[in-house]
Amino acid sequence: MVLDLNTKKIKKNAFRITKHRGKTAIRIRVPGGELPADIIPILYEVATKYGDGKLHITTRQGFEIAGIDFEDMEAVNKMINPVIKNLLVEEGVEGVEDGKGYPAAGTRNISSCIGNKVCPYANYNTTALARRIEKAVFPHDHHFKIATTGCPNDCIKAHMQDFGIIGTAKVEYDYSQCVGCEACVKNCKKRVTGALEMKNGKVVRDEKRCIGCGECALTCPTQAWSRNEKKYYRMVIMGRTGKKNPRVARTFLEWIDEETIVKVIKNTYSFVDDYIDRSLPKEHVGYIVDRMGYNIFKEYALKDVTLPEGAKVAEYIDFGGYKYEKDAFMVNP
C-alpha cells in the first residue's frame, strides 16, 4: 500500500505518526483529568472497532487509541465527535460541529490532581481551573504544557510543565484560640518548611519560609489557624523533560488570582508568535525564553495584567537544569 500523507495535517488533527506502517493513533483530550463515565463506552467502541482494542492512559491524563488504519481516520473523527463536544469547553470551534475531529493538538491536554473535590490538602478545584484555561487557549498549535495542582505537595508534577499552577492558602491565626499544643509547629517542621515556631507560648510564622500549603489549619485541634476563603495561586514556569536541557520549573508569580493566570498564559502565546524559530518543526516555549531572555518574556507575560494586592513577581530567574556538554563527563577507558 502506497501512502501519500500530509503528516502536518494528521498531527494537527490529534493523530500520531507511529512506527507501524499504515497505522495511526488518536489522542483524546480530557481537560483536568475528569470525564463523565458515559464517555468510556464511546472510546471502547472506537478501540474495538477501529483500533487495537486497548485504551492507553497518557501521562497527561488523556487517552490514546492505537492501531487505527489511516483510511479510518474520518470515521473515527465522526465517532468521537460526542466526546469532543462533551469535553471541549469552547463551543463553536471550527471543525468540531461537522465531525472533523480535533482542530489542533499543539497545546497538550491540561492535567490536574484531583483537587479539593476530594483531597483535604488541596486549596481549590483544580479541574474547574483547568477547564477555564482550556477554554481560553484551545485550539492552538503552539506546544504548551500546563498543569494545575491543589497544593505545594504538587502531586501533578507542575514543576515539570511550561506553566504549573499551584494552589496556595493565606492562613489566618487567631491568637485567642491557640492553646500552645505545638501540633502545627511539629507538622510544619516534619512535613513542610519549618516556617512555624513557638515564642512565649504562641505560634509565630516566618512568611519568607511559608509556602502557603495550609496544613497548619488542618492540624490545629482548636481551629486557631484557618484558610482564607479567597483563592490564591503560585505560578511556576518553564520546567521540562527532554534530551537537551531538562530542568525543574521556577517560581514566576506568587499570591495571584485566576484572572492573572489566564491572562499571563494567553500573553505567552503572543510572545511565542513573535519569537518562535519557524525554521524548526516545533520549538518549545522554554527554549524561546532561554534564547530571548527572561526580561523580554516577562514584559510580554505581564502586558495589561493588573496584579492583585500582595502579588509577587520574580525579578530574575536562573532556570538551571543540566546540559550535555563536551568533557562534562569522564568516560572510562
Side-chain angles (χ1 to χ4, degrees), residues 75-105:
V76 169
N77 276 335
K78 290 180 179 179
M79 187 174 288
I80 66 168
N81 191 249
V83 177
I84 298 175
K85 286 185 175 181
N86 188 299
L87 296 177
L88 196 65
V89 295
E90 181 63 64
E91 295 182 359
V93 174
E94 183 179 355
V96 173
E97 294 299 324
D98 51 7
K100 294 183 180 180
Y102 290 102

mmCIF file of all heavy atoms in Angstrom, residues 75-105:
data_model
loop_
_atom_site.group_PDB
_atom_site.id
_atom_site.type_symbol
_atom_site.label_atom_id
_atom_site.label_comp_id
_atom_site.label_asym_id
_atom_site.label_seq_id
_atom_site.Cartn_x
_atom_site.Cartn_y
_atom_site.Cartn_z
ATOM 1 N N ALA A 75 -13.777 8.224 9.832
ATOM 2 C CA ALA A 75 -14.820 7.524 10.595
ATOM 3 C C ALA A 75 -14.599 7.682 12.093
ATOM 4 O O ALA A 75 -15.550 7.862 12.865
ATOM 5 C CB ALA A 75 -14.839 6.047 10.214
ATOM 6 N N VAL A 76 -13.357 7.609 12.514
ATOM 7 C CA VAL A 76 -13.034 7.783 13.938
ATOM 8 C C VAL A 76 -13.394 9.191 14.389
ATOM 9 O O VAL A 76 -13.962 9.388 15.474
ATOM 10 C CB VAL A 76 -11.549 7.480 14.198
ATOM 11 C CG1 VAL A 76 -11.145 7.909 15.612
ATOM 12 C CG2 VAL A 76 -11.258 5.998 13.996
ATOM 13 N N ASN A 77 -13.074 10.179 13.580
ATOM 14 C CA ASN A 77 -13.406 11.561 13.934
ATOM 15 C C ASN A 77 -14.909 11.744 14.148
ATOM 16 O O ASN A 77 -15.335 12.437 15.075
ATOM 17 C CB ASN A 77 -12.910 12.520 12.848
ATOM 18 C CG ASN A 77 -11.454 12.897 13.019
ATOM 19 O OD1 ASN A 77 -10.920 12.846 14.126
ATOM 20 N ND2 ASN A 77 -10.802 13.283 11.932
ATOM 21 N N LYS A 78 -15.697 11.134 13.299
ATOM 22 C CA LYS A 78 -17.146 11.245 13.452
ATOM 23 C C LYS A 78 -17.617 10.528 14.717
ATOM 24 O O LYS A 78 -18.509 11.002 15.413
ATOM 25 C CB LYS A 78 -17.847 10.677 12.219
ATOM 26 C CG LYS A 78 -17.669 11.527 10.971
ATOM 27 C CD LYS A 78 -18.385 10.931 9.771
ATOM 28 C CE LYS A 78 -18.208 11.815 8.536
ATOM 29 N NZ LYS A 78 -18.872 11.242 7.336
ATOM 30 N N MET A 79 -16.996 9.390 15.019
ATOM 31 C CA MET A 79 -17.405 8.628 16.189
ATOM 32 C C MET A 79 -17.074 9.349 17.486
ATOM 33 O O MET A 79 -17.836 9.289 18.462
ATOM 34 C CB MET A 79 -16.753 7.238 16.166
ATOM 35 C CG MET A 79 -17.254 6.314 17.275
ATOM 36 S SD MET A 79 -16.609 4.621 17.114
ATOM 37 C CE MET A 79 -17.554 4.058 15.698
ATOM 38 N N ILE A 80 -15.933 10.060 17.516
ATOM 39 C CA ILE A 80 -15.541 10.739 18.760
ATOM 40 C C ILE A 80 -16.141 12.141 18.868
ATOM 41 O O ILE A 80 -15.913 12.831 19.868
ATOM 42 C CB ILE A 80 -14.007 10.836 18.904
ATOM 43 C CG1 ILE A 80 -13.428 11.745 17.824
ATOM 44 C CG2 ILE A 80 -13.373 9.455 18.910
ATOM 45 C CD1 ILE A 80 -11.980 12.121 18.073
ATOM 46 N N ASN A 81 -16.922 12.544 17.894
ATOM 47 C CA ASN A 81 -17.499 13.888 17.931
ATOM 48 C C ASN A 81 -18.278 14.177 19.218
ATOM 49 O O ASN A 81 -18.119 15.250 19.812
ATOM 50 C CB ASN A 81 -18.393 14.109 16.704
ATOM 51 C CG ASN A 81 -18.802 15.555 16.533
ATOM 52 O OD1 ASN A 81 -19.961 15.911 16.709
ATOM 53 N ND2 ASN A 81 -17.849 16.400 16.192
ATOM 54 N N PRO A 82 -19.094 13.242 19.720
ATOM 55 C CA PRO A 82 -19.781 13.497 21.000
ATOM 56 C C PRO A 82 -18.806 13.667 22.166
ATOM 57 O O PRO A 82 -19.082 14.425 23.098
ATOM 58 C CB PRO A 82 -20.655 12.250 21.193
ATOM 59 C CG PRO A 82 -20.822 11.666 19.832
ATOM 60 C CD PRO A 82 -19.533 11.962 19.127
ATOM 61 N N VAL A 83 -17.676 12.968 22.114
ATOM 62 C CA VAL A 83 -16.673 13.094 23.166
ATOM 63 C C VAL A 83 -16.069 14.493 23.157
ATOM 64 O O VAL A 83 -15.931 15.143 24.200
ATOM 65 C CB VAL A 83 -15.556 12.044 22.985
ATOM 66 C CG1 VAL A 83 -14.468 12.218 24.035
ATOM 67 C CG2 VAL A 83 -16.136 10.642 23.024
ATOM 68 N N ILE A 84 -15.721 14.964 21.976
ATOM 69 C CA ILE A 84 -15.131 16.299 21.849
ATOM 70 C C ILE A 84 -16.120 17.359 22.309
ATOM 71 O O ILE A 84 -15.764 18.283 23.051
ATOM 72 C CB ILE A 84 -14.692 16.560 20.400
ATOM 73 C CG1 ILE A 84 -13.615 15.556 19.976
ATOM 74 C CG2 ILE A 84 -14.165 17.980 20.258
ATOM 75 C CD1 ILE A 84 -13.200 15.665 18.522
ATOM 76 N N LYS A 85 -17.358 17.228 21.883
ATOM 77 C CA LYS A 85 -18.358 18.228 22.264
ATOM 78 C C LYS A 85 -18.598 18.237 23.769
ATOM 79 O O LYS A 85 -18.851 19.283 24.362
ATOM 80 C CB LYS A 85 -19.678 17.953 21.530
ATOM 81 C CG LYS A 85 -19.647 18.323 20.054
ATOM 82 C CD LYS A 85 -21.020 18.130 19.424
ATOM 83 C CE LYS A 85 -21.041 18.609 17.989
ATOM 84 N NZ LYS A 85 -22.370 18.452 17.362
ATOM 85 N N ASN A 86 -18.534 17.069 24.391
ATOM 86 C CA ASN A 86 -18.763 16.986 25.831
ATOM 87 C C ASN A 86 -17.607 17.582 26.623
ATOM 88 O O ASN A 86 -17.812 18.284 27.606
ATOM 89 C CB ASN A 86 -18.978 15.523 26.243
ATOM 90 C CG ASN A 86 -19.420 15.383 27.677
ATOM 91 O OD1 ASN A 86 -18.723 15.766 28.596
ATOM 92 N ND2 ASN A 86 -20.593 14.810 27.879
ATOM 93 N N LEU A 87 -16.371 17.309 26.185
ATOM 94 C CA LEU A 87 -15.202 17.701 26.957
ATOM 95 C C LEU A 87 -14.573 19.011 26.494
ATOM 96 O O LEU A 87 -13.851 19.649 27.258
ATOM 97 C CB LEU A 87 -14.138 16.593 26.892
ATOM 98 C CG LEU A 87 -14.534 15.262 27.528
ATOM 99 C CD1 LEU A 87 -13.429 14.240 27.343
ATOM 100 C CD2 LEU A 87 -14.851 15.429 29.001
ATOM 101 N N LEU A 88 -14.827 19.403 25.254
ATOM 102 C CA LEU A 88 -14.280 20.653 24.751
ATOM 103 C C LEU A 88 -15.128 21.791 25.285
ATOM 104 O O LEU A 88 -16.316 21.894 24.988
ATOM 105 C CB LEU A 88 -14.284 20.657 23.223
ATOM 106 C CG LEU A 88 -13.419 21.709 22.537
ATOM 107 C CD1 LEU A 88 -11.943 21.464 22.820
ATOM 108 C CD2 LEU A 88 -13.666 21.707 21.038
ATOM 109 N N VAL A 89 -14.534 22.650 26.089
ATOM 110 C CA VAL A 89 -15.338 23.636 26.814
ATOM 111 C C VAL A 89 -15.629 24.886 25.998
ATOM 112 O O VAL A 89 -16.423 25.722 26.421
ATOM 113 C CB VAL A 89 -14.646 24.050 28.131
ATOM 114 C CG1 VAL A 89 -14.559 22.871 29.062
ATOM 115 C CG2 VAL A 89 -13.260 24.620 27.867
ATOM 116 N N GLU A 90 -15.017 25.042 24.846
ATOM 117 C CA GLU A 90 -15.294 26.187 23.991
ATOM 118 C C GLU A 90 -16.239 25.753 22.870
ATOM 119 O O GLU A 90 -15.892 24.929 22.026
ATOM 120 C CB GLU A 90 -14.005 26.758 23.399
ATOM 121 C CG GLU A 90 -14.192 27.972 22.515
ATOM 122 C CD GLU A 90 -14.768 29.148 23.271
ATOM 123 O OE1 GLU A 90 -14.115 29.651 24.189
ATOM 124 O OE2 GLU A 90 -15.899 29.546 22.932
ATOM 125 N N GLU A 91 -17.445 26.283 22.841
ATOM 126 C CA GLU A 91 -18.430 25.916 21.823
ATOM 127 C C GLU A 91 -18.137 26.632 20.505
ATOM 128 O O GLU A 91 -17.541 27.703 20.468
ATOM 129 C CB GLU A 91 -19.835 26.266 22.310
ATOM 130 C CG GLU A 91 -20.279 25.471 23.526
ATOM 131 C CD GLU A 91 -21.691 25.819 23.945
ATOM 132 O OE1 GLU A 91 -22.296 26.691 23.293
ATOM 133 O OE2 GLU A 91 -22.173 25.223 24.916
ATOM 134 N N GLY A 92 -18.595 26.019 19.420
ATOM 135 C CA GLY A 92 -18.471 26.642 18.113
ATOM 136 C C GLY A 92 -17.086 26.585 17.512
ATOM 137 O O GLY A 92 -16.781 27.357 16.594
ATOM 138 N N VAL A 93 -16.216 25.713 17.980
ATOM 139 C CA VAL A 93 -14.874 25.599 17.428
ATOM 140 C C VAL A 93 -14.961 25.009 16.025
ATOM 141 O O VAL A 93 -15.629 24.001 15.797
ATOM 142 C CB VAL A 93 -13.981 24.721 18.324
ATOM 143 C CG1 VAL A 93 -12.624 24.489 17.668
ATOM 144 C CG2 VAL A 93 -13.793 25.389 19.678
ATOM 145 N N GLU A 94 -14.292 25.653 15.092
ATOM 146 C CA GLU A 94 -14.345 25.234 13.698
ATOM 147 C C GLU A 94 -13.875 23.786 13.539
ATOM 148 O O GLU A 94 -12.852 23.384 14.065
ATOM 149 C CB GLU A 94 -13.466 26.151 12.842
ATOM 150 C CG GLU A 94 -13.516 25.840 11.356
ATOM 151 C CD GLU A 94 -12.641 26.778 10.534
ATOM 152 O OE1 GLU A 94 -12.083 27.730 11.128
ATOM 153 O OE2 GLU A 94 -12.527 26.542 9.326
ATOM 154 N N GLY A 95 -14.640 23.008 12.777
ATOM 155 C CA GLY A 95 -14.287 21.624 12.510
ATOM 156 C C GLY A 95 -14.951 20.626 13.425
ATOM 157 O O GLY A 95 -15.118 19.464 13.083
ATOM 158 N N VAL A 96 -15.346 21.081 14.616
ATOM 159 C CA VAL A 96 -15.951 20.170 15.584
ATOM 160 C C VAL A 96 -17.405 19.889 15.236
ATOM 161 O O VAL A 96 -17.862 18.740 15.283
ATOM 162 C CB VAL A 96 -15.840 20.744 17.018
ATOM 163 C CG1 VAL A 96 -16.612 19.875 18.003
ATOM 164 C CG2 VAL A 96 -14.378 20.836 17.436
ATOM 165 N N GLU A 97 -18.132 20.932 14.875
ATOM 166 C CA GLU A 97 -19.562 20.771 14.609
ATOM 167 C C GLU A 97 -19.841 19.806 13.458
ATOM 168 O O GLU A 97 -20.850 19.117 13.465
ATOM 169 C CB GLU A 97 -20.197 22.138 14.317
ATOM 170 C CG GLU A 97 -20.207 23.090 15.499
ATOM 171 C CD GLU A 97 -20.996 22.537 16.681
ATOM 172 O OE1 GLU A 97 -22.016 21.859 16.460
ATOM 173 O OE2 GLU A 97 -20.583 22.768 17.827
ATOM 174 N N ASP A 98 -18.952 19.759 12.476
ATOM 175 C CA ASP A 98 -19.197 18.875 11.326
ATOM 176 C C ASP A 98 -18.419 17.566 11.417
ATOM 177 O O ASP A 98 -18.254 16.854 10.422
ATOM 178 C CB ASP A 98 -18.882 19.590 10.017
ATOM 179 C CG ASP A 98 -17.495 20.228 10.013
ATOM 180 O OD1 ASP A 98 -16.749 19.989 10.976
ATOM 181 O OD2 ASP A 98 -17.176 20.947 9.066
ATOM 182 N N GLY A 99 -17.943 17.227 12.607
ATOM 183 C CA GLY A 99 -17.356 15.918 12.827
ATOM 184 C C GLY A 99 -15.990 15.703 12.214
ATOM 185 O O GLY A 99 -15.638 14.573 11.865
ATOM 186 N N LYS A 100 -15.176 16.756 12.116
ATOM 187 C CA LYS A 100 -13.840 16.615 11.551
ATOM 188 C C LYS A 100 -12.768 16.378 12.602
ATOM 189 O O LYS A 100 -11.575 16.397 12.295
ATOM 190 C CB LYS A 100 -13.496 17.857 10.716
ATOM 191 C CG LYS A 100 -14.353 18.003 9.476
ATOM 192 C CD LYS A 100 -13.930 19.216 8.653
ATOM 193 C CE LYS A 100 -14.795 19.343 7.401
ATOM 194 N NZ LYS A 100 -14.396 20.535 6.590
ATOM 195 N N GLY A 101 -13.171 16.180 13.837
ATOM 196 C CA GLY A 101 -12.211 15.868 14.889
ATOM 197 C C GLY A 101 -11.586 17.094 15.503
ATOM 198 O O GLY A 101 -12.104 18.206 15.404
ATOM 199 N N TYR A 102 -10.444 16.886 16.138
ATOM 200 C CA TYR A 102 -9.765 17.979 16.827
ATOM 201 C C TYR A 102 -9.151 18.957 15.824
ATOM 202 O O TYR A 102 -8.516 18.540 14.856
ATOM 203 C CB TYR A 102 -8.665 17.434 17.732
ATOM 204 C CG TYR A 102 -9.178 16.695 18.939
ATOM 205 C CD1 TYR A 102 -9.171 15.303 18.975
ATOM 206 C CD2 TYR A 102 -9.672 17.384 20.034
ATOM 207 C CE1 TYR A 102 -9.639 14.621 20.095
ATOM 208 C CE2 TYR A 102 -10.145 16.711 21.150
ATOM 209 C CZ TYR A 102 -10.125 15.327 21.168
ATOM 210 O OH TYR A 102 -10.601 14.652 22.267
ATOM 211 N N PRO A 103 -9.315 20.267 16.061
ATOM 212 C CA PRO A 103 -8.758 21.267 15.141
ATOM 213 C C PRO A 103 -7.310 21.637 15.433
ATOM 214 O O PRO A 103 -6.701 22.369 14.676
ATOM 215 C CB PRO A 103 -9.675 22.482 15.369
ATOM 216 C CG PRO A 103 -10.115 22.347 16.792
ATOM 217 C CD PRO A 103 -10.205 20.867 17.070
ATOM 218 N N ALA A 104 -6.757 21.140 16.544
ATOM 219 C CA ALA A 104 -5.364 21.429 16.891
ATOM 220 C C ALA A 104 -4.899 20.446 17.957
ATOM 221 O O ALA A 104 -5.709 19.894 18.701
ATOM 222 C CB ALA A 104 -5.208 22.861 17.398
ATOM 223 N N ALA A 105 -3.585 20.237 18.012
ATOM 224 C CA ALA A 105 -3.031 19.318 19.013
ATOM 225 C C ALA A 105 -1.738 19.848 19.604
ATOM 226 O O ALA A 105 -1.059 19.129 20.332
ATOM 227 C CB ALA A 105 -2.790 17.945 18.383
#
